[in-house]
Amino acid sequence: MVNEGKSYTCPLPEVAEMIYDIITRKIDSSYEITTRSVKVFKNIIAAIEWKTADELMKIIRDQGRIMMEALPQENVTANMCRRVLKLIREEFESAQLVRIDESQASMSLHKLVTQTSESAAAMDYTKPKVGLRSALLNHLQEIEDEMETTRDNLADQAAEHIHSSELILTLGHSRSVESFLKRAAKRRVFEVVVAECAPSMRGHTLAASLAKAKIETTVIPDSAIYAMMSRVNKVIIGTHSVLANGGLRAACGSHTVALAAKQFSVPVIVLVPMYKFSPVHLCSYEMDAFNMVGTTEGVIPYKMRDARNVRCYNPVFDYVPPEFVTLFISNLGGNAPSYVYRLLSELYHPEDYTL
């Protein structure tokens, strides 16, 4: 085992390497970043010397905080850190709470719940627990296995939500949306309208892929979204992350799509794997923490004489309020935005919401 010393306030080599790869865009999709994060935490648990759950939680929290500060726009790294912390708590507490006296079976529900919550709050994580390391590695292996089937589990639900002869509108290029539509096309005949998501024009990539799969696809400019919406049956989009209030941090243009859909009473379905649910509260007014600014070369080339007199911004993300979303479809099923708080409580421990 590797003993890095008492302090873990500096990034471990595997953490620093992951941060470098993300910043240099060697890995850029949320799925790849999440998978890499799981492997990093798995290596930390297996290789770093620790004796108690409290020591391990401090190491994981310190490294998670480093990731969050270095990659403020990638919520999935912090989400996996929170999930690992909850696994440590649950595995440690399971050994303490199994010794329940049979007399508790006759207790009232209120008394039983109160006693359980009080015992969990008073849990002493500084006590060593035999087999904790191996149990955690087994749990993380289960998470890796779950990650591998996430996209397939999402796509398996396609036939339940897309029906024949429908017109589906989407924005840009989401791998989850792409596999979802392709799976639905095996059992349904429908049309897809793709907004091009200028200036990155990622919608063209999705449209070409769907056309190869024999799906009738039309590409429209972003300015035509409102004009087209009256003919659309459903809007299906992906998202970068889901915030604690059920709002979206999605590709720029998503707010325009959701606003038009609201006007014409068109349901908005968001495809989101469970690892994208984040217990953070951000609103569209906190743009410094919320957004990123991309290059504007595609709009105004730097060589243009007028470019020096123009201040041009290309925001990467939009905030979409939860009232504009009809349904979230995750790899575990469909949920309304009002149910996000419950999903967060199942994924993360409240004490880990703030790392």
Side-chain angles (χ1 to χ4, degrees), residues 44-64:
I44 290 174
I45 293 172
I48 298 298
E49 183 178 343
W50 51 271
K51 296 179 180 178
T52 66
D54 186 66
E55 288 180 20
L56 178 59
M57 288 167 65
K58 186 178 185 305
I59 295 170
I60 296 294
R61 188 177 287 108
D62 287 344
Q63 297 304 307

Side-chain angles (χ1 to χ4, degrees), residues 4 6-20 22-23 37 40-41 44 57-79 81-82 85 354-355:
E4 298 289 340
K6 296 290 185 181
S7 176
Y8 294 94
T9 54
C10 294
L12 296 172
E14 54 264 47
V15 174
E17 184 181 354
M18 187 189 79
I19 292 172
Y20 175 80
I22 295 173
I23 290 176
S37 299
V40 166
F41 287 124
I44 290 174
M57 288 167 65
K58 186 178 185 305
I59 295 170
I60 296 294
R61 188 177 287 108
D62 287 344
Q63 297 304 307
R65 192 179 296 116
I66 290 170
M67 292 181 192
M68 189 172 65
E69 291 174 355
L71 307 164
Q73 312 300 335
E74 301 296 345
N75 290 343
V76 291
T77 56
N79 292 344
C81 177
R82 295 182 182 101
L85 288 171
T354 304
L355 292 176

